[in-house]
Amino acid sequence: MSDYKKVCHLTSVHPLLDTRIFYKECVSLAKAGYDVSIIVTGETDKSIENIKVYGINKGKDSRLYRMFFTVKKVYKKAVEVDADIYHFHDPELLPAGKKLVKKGKKVIYDTHEDLPLQIMTKHWLPVIIRKPLSYLVEKIEKHYSKRLSAIIAATPIIKKRFQNYNSNTIDVCNYPIIEELENNISWDTKENSICYIGSIFKERGIVELMKAIENPNVTLELAGTYSPESLRDELTGFSTWNKVHEYGYVGRNEIRNILGKSKAGMVTLLPKQSYMESLPIKMFEYMAAGIPVIASDFPLWKEIIEKYKCGLCVNPEKPSEIEKAILTVLGNDHDSEKMGLNGINAVKEVFNWKVEEKKMLELYSKLL
């Protein structure tokens, strides 16, 4: 790939070092020979790993300000960069994407979530407006997506929906970079710990998990930020809070350390449709780190876990089932270590970024 082909990623929401955007997509494109830049809020202009960073003043920390003012700033900078391909990551940038197409540019919309479904679970939205807003958002995505050069979807299910709007749609799943999580830690040196890494919402099963650890002799390694922040106050009221090691937001190295000491990774999200159709990165990170997954018994997840024999599935609404799975993992080191090894092999063969990277690079070649 000739190095004069300029690629510009755009985000008005995500942080600069977002794993999917920066460490997977941008880094892969730079290694493939593209001239890569990223426009992001709250940063200064700089260069990291051969990727040019263009910072946009964040302004007020509100959704309305971002949608009406930050988006305009991102678009203005995008025009200045004058790239061959623009690759954006937030639905609020759809109008900007359409404008860039009108300027003769190739434009990709990278949809990380099934937004209409996700809106139905937003705790900060009044219940009465969720359904009409979900309907409206789907219509908006359809209108703009039809006019873009290509769509990248984070799961096959999201891809299926967008293929109805734009035939040039592919899935690029958010599978882990194997090298980041590989470790040579002996199972015998692991602690009696389970871990949960990611954003901490009630909808992601944290309350049921707190109840499930009441009896087992176990420590919960809890890493992530609370939404809303008041949720932490509620959790500290549980008698099991003294079994929690709390980390807050952690970087890639700390994640690796947490996974290294844990004997199981928890992904017991509650049965919301948007979750049931997702492929959560944490599940595959647990697998890549060689620890069994204790996951919700959603059909999609259950199919993967049972096929590769890499964990246990439970009803996420029943703390007693979660507790039983935890006790099974902690009480059978030989079987648990084997499940962990099965997970590593599955990631090496199927669920890894190298496989997904090829799809993305093929799409870029096709567009150019």
Side-chain angles (χ1 to χ4, degrees):
M1 173 56 59
S2 301
D3 60 9
Y4 66 84
K5 293 296 183 184
K6 293 178 69 175
V7 174
C8 183
H9 280 248
L10 318 174
T11 178
S12 52
V13 177
H14 294 83
L16 169 60
L17 300 182
D18 178 272
T19 303
R20 176 179 175 85
I21 299 172
F22 190 87
Y23 286 112
K24 292 177 183 173
E25 294 178 336
C26 287
V27 169
S28 291
L29 288 163
K31 286 180 178 177
Y34 289 93
D35 178 356
V36 183
S37 60
I38 180 170
I39 298 171
V40 64
T41 61
E43 297 286 343
T44 56
D45 292 357
K46 65 190 89 172
S47 180
I48 304 176
E49 299 200 33
N50 295 320
I51 296 161
K52 300 182 191 72
V53 178
Y54 297 107
I56 298 294
N57 185 280
K58 194 171 185 178
K60 294 179 183 178
D61 192 16
S62 76
R63 290 183 178 87
L64 285 176
Y65 181 91
R66 198 181 67 216
M67 291 172 71
F68 287 102
F69 297 101
T70 306
V71 165
K72 288 182 181 177
K73 295 177 187 176
V74 171
Y75 172 72
K76 183 180 177 183
K77 177 58 72 172
V79 172
E80 290 176 16
V81 171
D82 192 27
D84 299 293
I85 292 184
Y86 291 92
H87 185 152
F88 70 93
H89 297 267
D90 312 305
E92 61 198 43
L93 292 172
L94 281 164
K98 182 181 175 182
K99 289 180 183 177
L100 290 167
V101 169
K102 285 186 174 180
K103 288 183 172 291
K105 303 297 184 179
K106 302 290 185 181
V107 180
I108 301 168
Y109 175 31
D110 195 324
T111 172
H112 299 193
E113 309 280 355
D114 192 323
L115 190 59
L117 280 180
Q118 193 185 52
I119 283 171
M120 300 299 291
T121 65
K122 294 289 188 185
H123 60 81
W124 49 268
L125 283 173
V127 174
I128 195 169
I129 72 167
R130 291 179 193 175
K131 193 169 183 179
L133 182 59
S134 174
Y135 175 83
L136 177 62
V137 165
E138 185 171 4
K139 293 298 180 186
I140 290 170
E141 282 193 319
K142 178 180 179 180
H143 169 79
Y144 286 104
S145 297
K146 287 163 64 175
R147 292 156 174 79
L148 301 178
S149 310
I151 309 293
I152 291 178
T155 72
I157 291 175
I158 299 174
K159 177 184 77 170
K160 189 174 180 181
R161 177 165 75 87
F162 276 89
Q163 280 178 325
N164 295 321
Y165 317 149
N166 188 319
S167 60
N168 199 17
T169 296
I170 65 167
D171 59 79
V172 174
C173 299
N174 202 25
Y175 295 148
I177 301 168
I178 298 174
E179 297 77 14
E180 276 192 355
L181 300 168
E182 282 181 327
N183 62 63
N184 297 314
I185 297 172
S186 167
W187 191 270
D188 296 336
T189 65
K190 287 181 175 290
E191 301 174 10
N192 249 31
S193 293
I194 58 173
C195 65
Y196 174 90
I197 299 170
S199 298
I200 305 165
F201 306 160
K202 277 190 175 181
E203 293 85 354
R204 296 190 177 185
I206 186 61
V207 170
E208 288 75 13
L209 181 54
M210 292 295 292
K211 293 176 180 178
I213 63 173
E214 184 173 349
N215 295 316
N217 177 24
V218 67
T219 299
L220 171 61
E221 312 293 333
L222 184 63
T225 55
Y226 300 92
S227 183
E229 290 183 11
S230 59
L231 175 59
R232 184 184 183 278
D233 296 331
E234 182 178 340
L235 297 179
T236 58
F238 279 84
S239 61
T240 50
W241 184 253
N242 63 356
K243 294 185 174 186
V244 175
H245 282 168
E246 184 185 24
Y247 295 84
Y249 177 81
V250 293
R252 307 306 295 168
N253 287 335
E254 190 65 26
I255 287 174
R256 185 172 178 165
N257 292 336
I258 293 169
L259 293 171
K261 70 168 68 173
S262 301
K263 287 188 175 180
M266 307 302 299
V267 58
T268 49
L269 280 60
L270 300 185
K272 308 294 182 183
Q273 193 176 357
S274 59
Y275 294 156
M276 294 172 75
E277 296 183 356
S278 69
L279 290 171
I281 178 60
K282 65 172 68 69
M283 183 163 83
F284 300 101
E285 289 182 338
Y286 298 153
M287 291 164 62
I291 60 175
V293 178
I294 298 178
S296 305
D297 57 358
F298 305 155
L300 178 60
W301 300 7
K302 192 172 182 180
E303 181 183 350
I304 293 169
I305 290 168
E306 290 186 349
K307 178 178 180 179
Y308 294 99
K309 298 181 174 61
C310 59
L312 301 170
C313 292
V314 298
N315 182 334
E317 296 179 298
K318 293 187 176 180
S320 59
E321 284 199 24
I322 301 171
E323 177 188 340
K324 184 179 177 182
I326 292 170
L327 289 170
T328 298
V329 169
L330 298 182
N332 298 274
D333 280 343
H334 178 268
D335 292 345
S336 298
E337 184 177 11
K338 189 174 180 181
M339 284 192 285
L341 292 172
N342 290 341
I344 290 174
N345 291 331
V347 169
K348 284 182 176 178
E349 293 170 12
V350 183
F351 306 110
N352 67 78
W353 176 245
K354 282 293 181 186
V355 172
E356 302 306 299
E357 176 189 66
K358 290 176 185 176
K359 299 186 209 172
M360 181 188 69
L361 295 177
E362 285 172 4
L363 176 65
Y364 268 74
S365 294
K366 178 181 175 183
L367 290 178
L368 290 170

